[in-house]
Amino acid sequence: TYKAGDRGEVPMLDSAATYDEASGTLSLFVINRNRHQSTEVDVTVDDLVIDRVISTTQLGGLDVKIANSWERPETVKPTVGRATVVGKNQLRVSIPAPGYAAVQVAVKRA
């Protein structure tokens, strides 16, 4: 956690996920608010089997004050991230500091 002004202590990591049963895809979004330390997160899905990683996109690893401009429109841009299936229902995701990762995986019912 870190101190976030009037909000008090907040988590360095936060996540959200969506599951599309019709297409058999799980999308995971993880944010790392730590400005100095990248991290890896292991995600376990209890009722699905992870078949393969479809795509991984990340954004970050830069100073939080850096922004795109007319002169430099690609200073901040998404890049290919890293996610690995490490078990039948587990995924390891790398997240830059600070930054986020968006991962889409093919899944099937356990």
Side-chain angles (χ1 to χ4, degrees), residues 55-101:
S55 67
T56 307
T57 304
Q58 69 178 27
L59 181 68
L62 303 169
D63 184 319
V64 295
K65 302 289 184 181
I66 292 176
N68 291 344
S69 65
W70 289 110
E71 297 78 27
R72 295 188 173 161
E74 296 198 21
T75 301
V76 180
K77 63 181 180 179
T79 60
V80 174
R82 188 177 54 184
T84 308
V85 178
V86 293
K88 72 175 190 169
N89 66 338
Q90 193 170 42
L91 183 70
R92 181 165 294 140
V93 182
S94 298
I95 306 112
Y100 81 87

Side-chain angles (χ1 to χ4, degrees), residues 9 33 45 56 62 67 75-76 107 109:
E9 295 289 319
R33 294 184 185 99
V45 184
T56 307
L62 303 169
T75 301
V76 180
V107 295
R109 285 275 176 205

